[in-house]
DNA sequence: CGACACATGTAACACGTTACATGATTTG
DNA sequence: CAAATCATGTAACGTGTTACATGTGTCG
Protein backbone atom coordinates (compact mmCIF):
# COMPACT_ATOMS: atom_id res chain seq x y z
CA UNK A 1 0.00 0.00 0.00
CA UNK A 2 2.69 2.47 0.98
CA UNK A 3 4.51 2.18 -2.35
CA UNK A 4 1.40 2.67 -4.44
CA UNK A 5 0.32 5.76 -2.55
CA UNK A 6 3.87 6.92 -2.10
CA UNK A 7 4.29 7.09 -5.85
CA UNK A 8 1.02 9.00 -6.14
CA UNK A 9 2.25 11.49 -3.57
CA UNK A 10 5.51 11.99 -5.44
CA UNK A 11 3.69 12.45 -8.72
CA UNK A 12 1.50 15.07 -7.06
CA UNK A 13 4.61 17.26 -6.99
CA UNK A 14 4.81 16.94 -10.76
CA UNK A 15 5.44 14.44 -13.57
CA UNK A 16 8.33 12.05 -13.08
CA UNK A 17 9.62 8.76 -14.43
CA UNK A 18 10.35 5.54 -12.58
CA UNK A 19 14.00 6.00 -11.85
CA UNK A 20 13.37 9.49 -10.47
CA UNK A 21 10.53 8.22 -8.32
CA UNK A 22 12.69 5.68 -6.59
CA UNK A 23 15.33 8.29 -5.86
CA UNK A 24 12.70 10.72 -4.53
CA UNK A 25 11.09 8.08 -2.37
CA UNK A 26 14.37 7.01 -0.84
CA UNK A 27 15.39 10.60 -0.33
CA UNK A 28 12.11 11.38 1.44
CA UNK A 29 12.36 8.35 3.70
CA UNK A 30 16.10 8.59 4.15
CA UNK A 31 17.03 5.25 2.63
CA UNK A 32 15.50 3.49 5.62
CA UNK A 33 13.26 1.46 3.39
CA UNK A 34 15.06 1.04 0.07
CA UNK A 35 12.61 0.82 -2.78
CA UNK A 36 13.06 -1.84 -5.39
CA UNK A 37 13.23 -0.31 -8.86
CA UNK A 38 11.45 -3.24 -10.49
CA UNK A 39 8.49 -2.74 -8.19
CA UNK A 40 8.29 0.90 -9.19
CA UNK A 41 7.65 -0.03 -12.80
CA UNK A 42 5.15 -2.78 -12.04
CA UNK A 43 3.32 -0.48 -9.63
CA UNK A 44 3.24 2.30 -12.20
CA UNK A 45 1.77 -0.16 -14.69
CA UNK A 46 -0.98 -1.10 -12.23
CA UNK A 47 -1.62 2.55 -11.38
CA UNK A 48 -1.99 3.35 -15.07
CA UNK A 49 -4.31 0.39 -15.53
CA UNK A 50 -6.47 1.77 -12.69
CA UNK A 51 -6.40 5.26 -14.27
CA UNK A 52 -4.70 6.80 -11.24
CA UNK A 53 -1.73 7.91 -13.34
CA UNK A 54 -1.24 8.53 -17.05
CA UNK A 55 1.90 7.79 -19.05
CA UNK A 56 3.39 10.69 -20.98
CA UNK A 57 5.14 10.11 -24.32
CA UNK A 58 8.72 8.87 -24.04
CA UNK A 59 11.17 11.71 -24.44
CA UNK A 60 14.50 11.90 -26.25
CA UNK A 61 16.47 10.47 -23.33
CA UNK A 62 14.40 7.30 -23.30
CA UNK A 63 12.55 8.36 -20.13
CA UNK A 64 8.87 7.49 -19.65
CA UNK A 65 7.36 10.07 -17.28
CA UNK A 66 3.94 9.73 -15.68
CA UNK A 67 1.37 12.26 -14.46
CA UNK A 68 -1.14 11.82 -11.71
CA UNK A 69 -4.79 11.96 -12.81
CA UNK A 70 -7.76 13.48 -11.02
CA UNK A 71 -8.76 10.01 -9.86
CA UNK A 72 -5.21 9.58 -8.57
CA UNK A 73 -5.41 12.86 -6.69
CA UNK A 74 -8.67 11.73 -5.14
CA UNK A 75 -7.18 8.38 -4.09
CA UNK A 76 -4.22 10.21 -2.60
CA UNK A 77 -6.47 12.52 -0.61
CA UNK A 78 -8.33 9.49 0.75
CA UNK A 79 -5.04 7.90 1.77
CA UNK A 80 -3.92 11.03 3.61
CA UNK A 81 -7.19 11.55 5.42
CA UNK A 82 -7.78 7.92 6.38
CA UNK A 83 -5.81 6.96 9.49
CA UNK A 84 -3.78 3.78 9.61
CA UNK A 85 -5.73 1.24 11.64
CA UNK A 86 -4.63 -1.93 13.36
CA UNK A 87 -6.25 -3.82 10.51
CA UNK A 88 -3.85 -2.77 7.79
CA UNK A 89 -0.83 -3.24 9.99
CA UNK A 90 1.07 -6.46 9.38
CA UNK A 91 1.46 -9.16 11.98
CA UNK A 92 3.96 -8.28 14.70
CA UNK A 93 6.56 -10.97 14.29
CA UNK A 94 8.16 -10.29 17.67
CA UNK A 95 4.90 -10.55 19.58
CA UNK A 96 4.02 -13.79 17.81
CA UNK A 97 7.45 -15.19 18.48
CA UNK A 98 7.24 -14.45 22.19
CA UNK A 99 3.70 -15.76 22.47
CA UNK A 100 4.61 -19.02 20.79
CA UNK A 101 7.86 -19.37 22.70
CA UNK A 102 5.80 -19.48 25.88
CA UNK A 103 4.19 -22.78 24.90
CA UNK A 104 7.05 -24.34 22.97
CA UNK A 105 8.96 -27.09 24.81
CA UNK A 106 12.73 -26.72 25.22
CA UNK A 107 12.57 -22.98 24.59
CA UNK A 108 13.82 -20.58 27.24
CA UNK A 109 11.63 -17.55 26.78
CA UNK A 110 13.89 -15.36 28.89
CA UNK A 111 16.85 -15.94 26.61
CA UNK A 112 14.71 -15.00 23.62
CA UNK A 113 13.72 -11.79 25.39
CA UNK A 114 17.33 -11.09 26.31
CA UNK A 115 18.62 -11.58 22.78
CA UNK A 116 15.93 -9.33 21.38
CA UNK A 117 16.57 -6.71 24.03
CA UNK A 118 20.23 -6.54 23.12
CA UNK A 119 19.46 -6.32 19.41
CA UNK A 120 16.88 -3.59 19.90
CA UNK A 121 19.19 -1.54 22.10
CA UNK A 122 21.86 -1.83 19.45
CA UNK A 123 19.36 -0.63 16.86
CA UNK A 124 18.36 2.24 19.13
CA UNK A 125 21.97 3.33 19.44
CA UNK A 126 22.29 3.26 15.69
CA UNK A 127 19.17 5.40 15.34
CA UNK A 128 20.43 8.00 17.81
CA UNK A 129 23.69 8.05 15.87
CA UNK A 130 21.74 8.68 12.67
CA UNK A 131 19.74 11.39 14.40
CA UNK A 132 22.86 13.36 15.32
CA UNK A 133 24.26 12.88 11.85
CA UNK A 134 21.03 14.13 10.23
CA UNK A 135 20.88 17.36 12.19
CA UNK A 136 20.82 19.31 8.95
CA UNK A 137 17.63 20.36 7.23
CA UNK A 138 15.53 17.39 6.15
CA UNK A 139 12.53 17.44 8.47
CA UNK A 140 10.87 14.30 7.08
CA UNK A 141 13.99 12.22 7.56
CA UNK A 142 14.35 13.45 11.16
CA UNK A 143 10.76 12.56 11.98
CA UNK A 144 11.22 9.10 10.53
CA UNK A 145 14.29 8.56 12.67
CA UNK A 146 12.31 9.74 15.69
CA UNK A 147 9.59 7.27 14.76
CA UNK A 148 12.07 4.43 14.80
CA UNK A 149 13.50 5.66 18.10
CA UNK A 150 10.08 5.82 19.76
CA UNK A 151 9.28 2.38 18.40
CA UNK A 152 12.52 0.86 19.66
CA UNK A 153 12.08 2.43 23.08
CA UNK A 154 8.58 1.04 23.32
CA UNK A 155 9.82 -2.36 22.32
CA UNK A 156 12.48 -2.33 25.03
CA UNK A 157 9.90 -1.29 27.60
CA UNK A 158 7.66 -4.11 26.46
CA UNK A 159 10.49 -6.63 26.63
CA UNK A 160 11.26 -5.54 30.18
CA UNK A 161 7.58 -5.85 30.98
CA UNK A 162 7.60 -9.38 29.53
CA UNK A 163 10.60 -10.39 31.59
CA UNK A 164 9.08 -8.99 34.77
CA UNK A 165 5.82 -10.80 34.06
CA UNK A 166 7.66 -14.04 33.43
CA UNK A 167 9.56 -13.75 36.72
CA UNK A 168 6.34 -12.92 38.54
CA UNK A 169 4.81 -16.02 36.98
CA UNK A 170 7.49 -18.44 38.28
CA UNK A 171 6.87 -17.75 41.99
CA UNK A 172 8.57 -20.99 43.08
CA UNK A 173 12.15 -20.14 42.13
CA UNK A 174 13.71 -17.01 43.64
CA UNK A 175 14.91 -14.45 41.07
CA UNK A 176 18.42 -15.40 39.83
CA UNK A 177 21.35 -13.23 40.90
CA UNK A 178 22.66 -11.38 37.82
CA UNK A 179 19.53 -9.49 36.91
CA UNK A 180 18.52 -5.97 36.03
CA UNK A 181 14.77 -5.69 35.90
CA UNK A 182 13.65 -2.15 36.57
CA UNK A 183 10.43 -2.00 34.62
CA UNK A 184 7.83 0.68 35.10
CA UNK A 185 4.26 -0.20 35.96
CA UNK A 186 2.37 -1.95 33.17
CA UNK A 187 -0.79 -0.03 33.97
CA UNK A 188 -1.35 3.13 32.00
CA UNK A 189 -4.31 5.27 31.24
CA UNK A 190 -5.04 6.95 27.95
CA UNK A 191 -3.26 10.27 28.43
CA UNK A 192 -6.25 12.34 27.37
CA UNK A 193 -8.92 12.47 24.69
CA UNK B 1 7.76 -15.36 7.90
CA UNK B 2 5.69 -15.41 11.07
CA UNK B 3 3.19 -17.90 9.66
CA UNK B 4 5.81 -20.31 8.44
CA UNK B 5 7.66 -20.36 11.74
CA UNK B 6 4.47 -20.15 13.71
CA UNK B 7 3.28 -23.38 12.18
CA UNK B 8 6.63 -24.98 12.96
CA UNK B 9 6.31 -23.87 16.58
CA UNK B 10 2.83 -25.32 16.84
CA UNK B 11 3.96 -28.59 15.29
CA UNK B 12 6.78 -28.75 17.84
CA UNK B 13 4.05 -29.40 20.43
CA UNK B 14 3.02 -32.48 18.43
CA UNK B 15 1.50 -33.53 15.12
CA UNK B 16 -1.51 -31.57 13.93
CA UNK B 17 -3.49 -30.93 10.75
CA UNK B 18 -4.20 -27.65 9.01
CA UNK B 19 -7.52 -26.83 10.54
CA UNK B 20 -6.17 -27.46 14.04
CA UNK B 21 -3.13 -25.31 13.33
CA UNK B 22 -5.19 -22.30 12.43
CA UNK B 23 -7.25 -22.67 15.60
CA UNK B 24 -4.11 -23.06 17.73
CA UNK B 25 -2.43 -20.07 16.12
CA UNK B 26 -5.42 -17.83 16.63
CA UNK B 27 -5.84 -19.03 20.17
CA UNK B 28 -2.19 -18.32 20.96
CA UNK B 29 -2.33 -14.84 19.47
CA UNK B 30 -5.83 -14.09 20.68
CA UNK B 31 -7.47 -13.65 17.30
CA UNK B 32 -5.61 -10.37 16.87
CA UNK B 33 -4.18 -11.55 13.59
CA UNK B 34 -6.67 -13.97 12.08
CA UNK B 35 -4.93 -16.61 10.03
CA UNK B 36 -6.28 -17.46 6.62
CA UNK B 37 -6.97 -21.17 6.34
CA UNK B 38 -5.98 -21.32 2.70
CA UNK B 39 -2.57 -19.97 3.55
CA UNK B 40 -2.11 -22.66 6.17
CA UNK B 41 -2.38 -25.36 3.53
CA UNK B 42 -0.14 -23.65 1.00
CA UNK B 43 2.44 -22.94 3.69
CA UNK B 44 2.33 -26.55 4.86
CA UNK B 45 2.93 -27.63 1.27
CA UNK B 46 5.96 -25.37 1.02
CA UNK B 47 7.25 -26.55 4.39
CA UNK B 48 6.94 -30.15 3.28
CA UNK B 49 8.71 -29.36 0.02
CA UNK B 50 11.58 -27.87 2.06
CA UNK B 51 11.65 -30.96 4.34
CA UNK B 52 10.83 -28.94 7.46
CA UNK B 53 7.65 -30.94 8.07
CA UNK B 54 6.49 -34.38 6.96
CA UNK B 55 2.91 -35.33 6.08
CA UNK B 56 1.46 -38.26 7.98
CA UNK B 57 -1.02 -40.64 6.31
CA UNK B 58 -4.58 -39.36 6.13
CA UNK B 59 -6.68 -40.83 8.91
CA UNK B 60 -10.27 -42.09 8.97
CA UNK B 61 -11.75 -38.63 9.52
CA UNK B 62 -10.15 -37.28 6.37
CA UNK B 63 -7.58 -35.30 8.35
CA UNK B 64 -4.02 -34.86 7.05
CA UNK B 65 -1.71 -34.32 10.03
CA UNK B 66 1.90 -33.17 9.76
CA UNK B 67 4.97 -33.71 11.93
CA UNK B 68 7.94 -31.43 12.32
CA UNK B 69 11.25 -32.88 11.12
CA UNK B 70 14.72 -32.46 12.63
CA UNK B 71 15.46 -29.85 9.99
CA UNK B 72 12.25 -28.10 10.99
CA UNK B 73 13.24 -28.15 14.65
CA UNK B 74 16.60 -26.66 13.68
CA UNK B 75 14.94 -23.90 11.64
CA UNK B 76 12.62 -23.18 14.54
CA UNK B 77 15.52 -22.91 16.97
CA UNK B 78 17.23 -20.46 14.62
CA UNK B 79 14.05 -18.39 14.45
CA UNK B 80 13.75 -18.24 18.22
CA UNK B 81 17.38 -17.35 18.81
CA UNK B 82 17.68 -14.78 16.00
CA UNK B 83 16.31 -11.39 17.06
CA UNK B 84 13.97 -9.45 14.84
CA UNK B 85 15.98 -6.70 13.17
CA UNK B 86 14.87 -3.51 11.49
CA UNK B 87 15.58 -5.20 8.17
CA UNK B 88 12.83 -7.78 8.32
CA UNK B 89 10.30 -5.27 9.59
CA UNK B 90 7.92 -4.02 6.94
CA UNK B 91 7.77 -0.39 5.89
CA UNK B 92 6.05 1.82 8.44
CA UNK B 93 3.09 3.17 6.49
CA UNK B 94 2.34 5.91 9.00
CA UNK B 95 5.88 7.26 8.96
CA UNK B 96 5.96 7.23 5.18
CA UNK B 97 2.61 8.95 5.01
CA UNK B 98 3.69 11.73 7.33
CA UNK B 99 7.02 12.17 5.58
CA UNK B 100 5.38 12.46 2.19
CA UNK B 101 2.60 14.69 3.48
CA UNK B 102 5.28 17.22 4.42
CA UNK B 103 6.23 17.80 0.79
CA UNK B 104 2.84 17.29 -0.84
CA UNK B 105 1.06 20.50 -1.92
CA UNK B 106 -2.46 21.13 -0.65
CA UNK B 107 -2.01 18.72 2.26
CA UNK B 108 -2.36 19.96 5.81
CA UNK B 109 0.03 17.77 7.74
CA UNK B 110 -1.44 18.77 11.08
CA UNK B 111 -4.86 17.47 10.17
CA UNK B 112 -3.32 14.17 9.11
CA UNK B 113 -1.58 13.98 12.48
CA UNK B 114 -4.80 14.87 14.29
CA UNK B 115 -6.86 12.25 12.50
CA UNK B 116 -4.26 9.59 13.20
CA UNK B 117 -4.00 10.63 16.81
CA UNK B 118 -7.71 10.23 17.34
CA UNK B 119 -7.74 6.84 15.63
CA UNK B 120 -4.79 5.58 17.65
CA UNK B 121 -6.30 6.75 20.92
CA UNK B 122 -9.49 4.94 20.02
CA UNK B 123 -7.48 1.81 19.32
CA UNK B 124 -5.66 2.23 22.63
CA UNK B 125 -8.96 2.41 24.48
CA UNK B 126 -10.08 -0.76 22.75
CA UNK B 127 -6.86 -2.49 23.77
CA UNK B 128 -7.23 -1.52 27.42
CA UNK B 129 -10.81 -2.79 27.28
CA UNK B 130 -9.49 -6.10 25.90
CA UNK B 131 -6.86 -6.20 28.61
CA UNK B 132 -9.42 -6.00 31.39
CA UNK B 133 -11.59 -8.55 29.66
CA UNK B 134 -8.66 -10.99 29.30
CA UNK B 135 -7.68 -10.92 32.95
CA UNK B 136 -8.07 -14.69 33.12
CA UNK B 137 -5.20 -17.11 32.52
CA UNK B 138 -3.79 -16.78 29.04
CA UNK B 139 -0.37 -15.19 29.53
CA UNK B 140 0.55 -15.05 25.83
CA UNK B 141 -2.63 -13.22 24.94
CA UNK B 142 -2.06 -10.69 27.73
CA UNK B 143 1.49 -9.99 26.58
CA UNK B 144 0.29 -9.46 23.02
CA UNK B 145 -2.30 -6.98 24.22
CA UNK B 146 0.41 -5.20 26.21
CA UNK B 147 2.54 -5.12 23.08
CA UNK B 148 -0.21 -3.37 21.18
CA UNK B 149 -0.74 -0.96 24.07
CA UNK B 150 2.92 -0.05 24.24
CA UNK B 151 3.00 0.38 20.48
CA UNK B 152 -0.07 2.62 20.46
CA UNK B 153 1.29 4.74 23.30
CA UNK B 154 4.55 5.18 21.47
CA UNK B 155 2.70 6.17 18.34
CA UNK B 156 0.72 8.81 20.19
CA UNK B 157 3.89 10.19 21.74
CA UNK B 158 5.47 10.31 18.31
CA UNK B 159 2.46 12.08 16.81
CA UNK B 160 2.61 14.68 19.58
CA UNK B 161 6.29 15.06 18.89
CA UNK B 162 5.53 15.56 15.20
CA UNK B 163 2.96 18.21 15.93
CA UNK B 164 5.28 20.02 18.29
CA UNK B 165 8.04 19.92 15.71
CA UNK B 166 5.72 21.24 13.03
CA UNK B 167 4.64 24.14 15.23
CA UNK B 168 8.25 24.89 16.10
CA UNK B 169 9.00 24.91 12.39
CA UNK B 170 6.40 27.54 11.52
CA UNK B 171 7.85 30.29 13.72
CA UNK B 172 5.92 33.05 11.96
CA UNK B 173 2.40 32.19 13.13
CA UNK B 174 1.78 32.05 16.87
CA UNK B 175 0.42 28.71 18.15
CA UNK B 176 -3.38 28.55 17.62
CA UNK B 177 -5.61 28.72 20.66
CA UNK B 178 -7.31 25.35 21.08
CA UNK B 179 -4.23 23.22 21.48
CA UNK B 180 -2.98 20.51 23.80
CA UNK B 181 0.62 19.82 23.05
CA UNK B 182 2.31 18.47 26.15
CA UNK B 183 4.98 16.33 24.60
CA UNK B 184 8.01 15.10 26.52
CA UNK B 185 11.51 15.85 25.32
CA UNK B 186 12.49 14.08 22.09
CA UNK B 187 16.00 13.51 23.41
CA UNK B 188 16.56 10.18 25.11
CA UNK B 189 19.57 8.10 25.94
CA UNK B 190 19.82 4.35 25.67
CA UNK B 191 18.69 3.27 29.13
CA UNK B 192 21.60 0.89 29.68
CA UNK B 193 23.60 -1.79 27.88
C1' DC C 1 38.10 0.55 -23.57
C1' DG C 2 36.01 -0.62 -19.27
C1' DA C 3 33.51 0.58 -15.29
C1' DC C 4 29.80 2.95 -13.52
C1' DA C 5 25.52 5.53 -13.29
C1' DC C 6 21.26 6.09 -15.72
C1' DA C 7 16.95 4.01 -17.33
C1' DT C 8 13.43 0.47 -18.41
C1' DG C 9 11.79 -3.63 -18.01
C1' DT C 10 10.74 -9.18 -17.18
C1' DA C 11 10.81 -13.69 -14.56
C1' DA C 12 10.41 -16.30 -10.65
C1' DC C 13 9.12 -16.77 -6.31
C1' DA C 14 7.29 -15.87 -1.31
C1' DC C 15 3.68 -14.24 1.17
C1' DG C 16 -0.92 -12.44 2.02
C1' DT C 17 -5.87 -11.76 0.97
C1' DT C 18 -10.51 -12.84 -0.82
C1' DA C 19 -13.23 -15.92 -2.87
C1' DC C 20 -14.79 -20.23 -4.47
C1' DA C 21 -15.50 -25.55 -4.65
C1' DT C 22 -16.15 -29.80 -2.35
C1' DG C 23 -17.40 -32.95 0.91
C1' DA C 24 -18.23 -35.07 5.94
C1' DT C 25 -20.21 -34.57 10.31
C1' DT C 26 -23.01 -32.48 13.77
C1' DT C 27 -26.99 -30.23 15.56
C1' DG C 28 -31.41 -27.64 15.84
C1' DC D 1 -33.99 -31.57 6.41
C1' DA D 2 -31.37 -27.37 6.77
C1' DA D 3 -27.75 -24.90 8.65
C1' DA D 4 -23.44 -24.69 10.92
C1' DT D 5 -19.07 -26.50 11.77
C1' DC D 6 -15.27 -29.29 10.39
C1' DA D 7 -11.80 -30.15 6.89
C1' DT D 8 -9.12 -29.74 2.59
C1' DG D 9 -7.98 -27.56 -1.09
C1' DT D 10 -7.52 -24.15 -5.68
C1' DA D 11 -7.65 -19.63 -8.30
C1' DA D 12 -6.77 -14.98 -8.81
C1' DC D 13 -4.63 -11.10 -7.49
C1' DG D 14 -1.66 -7.61 -4.89
C1' DT D 15 2.55 -6.83 -2.95
C1' DG D 16 7.43 -7.52 -2.12
C1' DT D 17 12.06 -9.55 -3.06
C1' DT D 18 16.05 -11.11 -5.84
C1' DA D 19 17.86 -11.66 -10.02
C1' DC D 20 18.48 -11.10 -14.79
C1' DA D 21 18.44 -8.73 -19.56
C1' DT D 22 19.12 -4.68 -22.26
C1' DG D 23 20.54 -0.37 -23.74
C1' DT D 24 22.52 4.68 -23.28
C1' DG D 25 25.64 7.99 -21.60
C1' DT D 26 29.67 9.52 -18.99
C1' DC D 27 34.16 9.53 -17.15
C1' DG D 28 38.80 7.91 -16.10
Amino acid sequence: MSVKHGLLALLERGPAYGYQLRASFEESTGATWPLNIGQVYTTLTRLERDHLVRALPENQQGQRPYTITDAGRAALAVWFTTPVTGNDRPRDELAIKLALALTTPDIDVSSVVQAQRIATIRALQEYTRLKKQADNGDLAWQLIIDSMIFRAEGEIRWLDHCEATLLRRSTTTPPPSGNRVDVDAPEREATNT
Side-chain angles (χ1 to χ4, degrees), chain A:
Chain A
M1 288 285 97
S2 15
V3 172
K4 173 181 163 182
H5 293 104
L7 294 184
L8 285 178
L10 295 175
L11 287 174
E12 180 82 308
R13 304 180 190 169
Y17 49 90
Y19 202 83
Q20 275 183 327
L21 289 168
R22 180 181 68 160
S24 303
F25 185 91
E26 293 192 356
E27 191 217 324
S28 287
T29 64
T32 319
W33 298 290
L35 183 53
N36 182 271
I37 181 61
Q39 196 184 353
V40 174
Y41 294 115
T42 54
T43 304
L44 283 172
T45 305
R46 272 196 300 265
L47 285 172
E48 188 180 22
R49 182 204 55 190
D50 299 341
H51 308 107
L52 303 180
V53 304
R54 188 162 31 241
L56 299 177
E58 180 172 353
N59 63 19
Q60 294 77 5
Q61 290 81 44
Q63 298 158 345
R64 303 192 143 278
Y66 287 82
T67 329
I68 191 170
T69 65
D70 285 345
R73 260 179 285 270
L76 184 60
V78 168
W79 186 59
F80 274 129
T81 53
T82 308
V84 176
T85 75
N87 276 14
D88 34 44
R89 272 186 249 262
R91 278 186 269 270
D92 183 342
E93 178 152 349
L94 178 56
I96 291 176
K97 189 187 286 193
L98 261 286
L100 291 174
L102 281 173
T103 47
T104 302
D106 301 329
I107 285 293
D108 179 22
V109 191
S110 272
S111 70
V112 176
V113 173
Q114 294 306 327
Q116 183 65 51
R117 194 173 189 280
I118 290 170
T120 306
I121 285 181
R122 229 188 284 283
L124 180 56
Q125 289 167 339
E126 171 68 9
Y127 297 151
T128 47
R129 202 183 61 77
L130 281 178
K131 190 182 169 68
K132 274 172 204 152
Q133 179 190 322
D135 224 356
N136 52 9
D138 204 343
L139 182 56
W141 176 214
Q142 284 172 247
L143 289 181
I144 286 184
I145 296 179
D146 289 333
S147 163
M148 297 192 291
I149 290 177
F150 277 63
R151 193 175 299 281
E153 287 175 345
E155 188 167 296
I156 292 169
R157 278 197 287 266
W158 180 67
L159 288 167
D160 288 343
H161 169 62
C162 285
E163 204 186 14
T165 307
L166 290 176
L167 288 178
R168 210 174 297 140
R169 181 55 51 135
S170 60
T171 33
T172 52
T173 52
S177 55
N179 225 311
R180 31 113 222 66
V181 179
D182 53 326
V183 81
D184 53 346
E187 291 80 30
R188 314 273 181 84
E189 305 295 329
T191 46
N192 59 19
T193 57

